[in-house]
Amino acid sequence: KQFEEIIKSINANLRAVLESTTDHILAVDQNFRYITFNRAHAESFKILFGADIKFGSSFIDILTPELQKTAYRSGP
């Protein structure tokens, strides 16, 4: 129980750091699915692509075909 509280506290601190910047912060897994992202990234993708992103959704599926090719060449 004590370790759960410590982990929750660490996660809350990490989330606060991610949200405290206007820089786009995101992480995707090997299948280009969102592991995490901050509000700045989500808002920008909403404006640019009209997409409401969620944890687990595909980063690649949101992009234009040209950007998809670039992302696949770069890798996660």
Side-chain angles (χ1 to χ4, degrees):
K1 184 84 176 167
Q2 182 181 7
F3 290 117
E4 287 178 22
E5 293 302 317
I6 291 170
I7 290 170
K8 284 180 185 178
S9 176
I10 291 169
N11 283 337
N13 288 337
L14 177 58
R15 176 59 42 197
V17 169
L18 290 175
E19 296 301 341
S20 70
T21 181
T22 57
D23 293 331
H24 296 225
I25 300 174
L26 66 137
V28 296
D29 65 15
Q30 66 274 10
N31 296 314
F32 297 95
R33 301 215 174 271
Y34 282 105
I35 296 170
T36 193
F37 55 87
N38 66 352
R39 187 176 328 130
H41 177 73
E43 290 173 355
S44 177
F45 262 49
K46 177 71 173 175
I47 292 166
L48 292 172
F49 302 105
D52 290 314
I53 61 174
K54 299 176 198 158
F55 297 109
S57 63
S58 173
F59 172 79
I60 295 294
D61 290 347
I62 297 167
L63 302 176
T64 63
E66 185 175 307
L67 290 174
Q68 287 177 357
K69 290 177 189 175
T70 301
Y72 278 123
R73 282 194 301 266
S74 300

